Amino acid sequence: MTSADDLLSWALADRDDWAALEDLAGAAPAGLIAAVRRRWHCDPDRREELVFLLSQSLDPEIAGILLELLSGAGGKLAG
């Protein structure tokens, strides 16, 4: 079984392949929110892609985490 962290790393591997992020958002595997939180804090250069990923999800819990992360980010996603 592949973890949400592994799937997120795979989706972020190709900076030009935003379709992988969109697919991951549609699948919303268990643990995705925790994986995004960890990546948000340890890899600020990828925040734009994480925002895209979260914005593609229809899950209201995921939408809530997006608002939470952005509210603390500041300008230009506070890199």
Side-chain angles (χ1 to χ4, degrees):
M1 184 173 158
T2 305
S3 74
D5 285 301
D6 292 339
L7 291 170
L8 181 56
S9 292
W10 173 80
L12 290 170
D14 184 354
R15 288 190 181 257
D16 295 324
D17 186 9
W18 292 66
L21 292 167
E22 192 170 7
D23 291 344
L24 183 58
L32 181 61
I33 291 173
V36 168
R37 277 183 196 273
R38 282 188 291 277
R39 186 61 70 110
W40 183 270
H41 295 292
C42 74
D43 194 359
D45 291 340
R46 305 309 291 267
R47 287 182 178 176
E48 185 176 356
E49 292 151 298
L50 295 171
V51 167
F52 176 80
L53 166 68
L54 295 173
S55 72
Q56 297 306 300
S57 177
L58 299 177
D59 182 330
E61 187 176 357
I62 291 176
I65 187 66
L66 176 58
L67 293 174
E68 176 189 322
L69 292 173
L70 288 175
S71 69
K76 192 60 178 162
L77 304 180

